[in-house]
Amino acid sequence: MPEGHSVRRLAHQFADVFGGETLAVSSPQGRFAAGAALLDDQMMTESQAHGKHLFLHFDNALVLHVHLGLYGAWDFGGDAAFRGASSIGAPRKVGERETFDDGNGPAYDGPPAPVGAVRVRLVGRHGWADLRGATTCAAITRAEMSAVLARLGPDPLRNLPPDRERFVTGVQSRKTPIAALLMDQKVIAGVGNVYRAEVLFRQRINPLLPGNSLTRSAAELLWDDTVKVMGDGVRDGRIITTPPSYWAEGASLPAGDDAHYVYKRQGLPCRVCAVPVALAELGGRKLYWCPGCQQH
DNA sequence: GATTAATGCTAAA
DNA sequence: TTAGCCTTAATCT
């Protein structure tokens, strides 16, 4: 259930805890047994994210390609050294969970018996990672990885020229509603249902506005705000789009749905104009917006 | 114990 | 536009 910020954090996490290590790769569930055998006992050399896609490179030139889909998740665990390397601080994030030896029990002695449908298990010297529920989990060649990247649009978490220009062109060349374009991974890679709703609200853009009716300036600001808010998500490990003035008095982090302007707030008064937040179905996904603030 | 929803995507119709 | 797929956790009976 992650959006691009979670996958980016996972890429960092894998580089930190497994980079340069030879890993035992298995598929306790069995569905990925053949692929796991191809990667077993190889060194993981590099970890890379683009949009919602994660690529782990191995020494034999094969790549583990993972897309978590709606409800895929990685669980991590290990000893103190593993924890020290971990880039994921707070526990129990969507798409990224971790459990660690607390130092009080017995010393790390390998991973626990798999719980549930573990598609892939990676085991290094100091820790382990379990994958469940992913849409895509495959051992692929570098050429196949390039083919995947070729059909993805610019990633706001990379944001190198000409990424912004590609986004602006992608938006302005289509008459599809902007809310649908933000979910189109060929137009912008990594945005999901939460960020699309929140960013459109922050920019006060009507979600049903056709892409080709956005001004260049509006499209550029939309990209820039997505870059900012998703970058915050990588830092925070969660999606927070409201400023502290909307949080409880003195709180350093928002509680519950104070983190969002419109996502999952249908029927509640808009935080800015008090008009009830609307909900509609668009392309099979739920779309949230404020009819008061987002009229153009 | 059964049902449902979830930050997703693809291929068939 | 719809059906199908992957799995879990929260919400029902």
Side-chain angles (χ1 to χ4, degrees), chain A residues 167-205:
Chain A
F167 173 74
V168 171
T169 303
V171 165
Q172 291 193 308
S173 62
R174 305 230 257 141
K175 61 182 201 299
T176 309
I178 183 62
L181 292 174
L182 284 177
M183 295 285 274
D184 184 340
Q185 303 297 300
K186 295 188 293 295
V187 173
I188 180 169
V191 172
N193 206 20
V194 181
Y195 278 125
R196 76 112 168 236
E198 293 296 305
V199 159
L200 286 172
F201 177 89
R202 287 166 57 98
Q203 295 301 308
R204 305 295 194 268
I205 295 172

Side-chain angles (χ1 to χ4, degrees), chain A residues 14-254:
Chain A
F14 279 108
D16 288 348
V17 302
F18 286 148
E21 269 203 65
T22 298
L23 301 181
V25 182
S26 60
S27 178
Q29 174 204 50
R31 276 184 56 157
F32 185 59
L38 293 172
L39 304 173
D40 187 35
D41 208 29
Q42 297 290 323
M43 184 191 292
M44 198 210 87
T45 54
E46 191 188 338
S47 168
Q48 176 187 355
H50 192 102
K52 301 169 190 170
H53 295 253
L54 176 69
F55 303 96
L56 302 182
H57 296 249
F58 287 81
D59 227 10
N60 59 358
L62 289 179
V63 179
L64 178 60
H65 174 212
V66 173
H67 189 298
L68 293 173
L70 255 182
Y71 36 70
W74 286 97
D75 286 282
F76 295 90
D79 65 12
F82 191 91
R83 173 181 218 144
S86 172
S87 63
I88 298 177
R92 291 266 155 195
K93 301 293 171 352
V94 167
E96 23 172 278
R97 292 186 290 242
E98 55 186 340
T99 53
F100 289 108
D101 188 335
D102 60 10
N104 297 321
Y108 176 68
D109 189 26
V115 175
V118 177
R119 183 88 51 86
V120 185
R121 166 168 280 185
L122 307 177
V123 183
R125 281 195 310 275
H126 297 286
W128 50 272
D130 282 352
L131 174 68
R132 318 183 157 66
T135 287
T136 300
C137 174
I140 63 175
T141 64
R142 286 178 180 161
E144 289 168 325
M145 184 190 78
S146 298
V148 173
L149 291 175
R151 54 183 174 73
L152 290 174
D155 182 342
L157 292 174
R158 193 175 61 121
N159 193 26
L160 297 173
D163 288 347
R164 183 164 82 160
E165 196 54 33
R166 281 183 64 200
F167 173 74
V168 171
T169 303
V171 165
Q172 291 193 308
S173 62
R174 305 230 257 141
K175 61 182 201 299
T176 309
I178 183 62
L181 292 174
L182 284 177
M183 295 285 274
D184 184 340
Q185 303 297 300
K186 295 188 293 295
V187 173
I188 180 169
V191 172
N193 206 20
V194 181
Y195 278 125
R196 76 112 168 236
E198 293 296 305
V199 159
L200 286 172
F201 177 89
R202 287 166 57 98
Q203 295 301 308
R204 305 295 194 268
I205 295 172
N206 182 335
L208 299 182
L209 196 65
N212 61 10
S213 65
L214 265 75
T215 64
R216 157 165 292 275
S217 162
E220 287 176 347
L221 288 171
L222 184 57
W223 171 266
D224 291 345
D225 198 37
T226 305
V227 168
K228 183 223 179 301
V229 86
M230 288 188 73
D232 289 349
V234 174
R235 181 196 63 211
D236 299 334
R238 57 185 285 211
I239 300 176
I240 300 171
T241 57
T242 50
S245 56
Y246 290 90
W247 310 343
E249 185 71 24
S252 60
L253 286 173

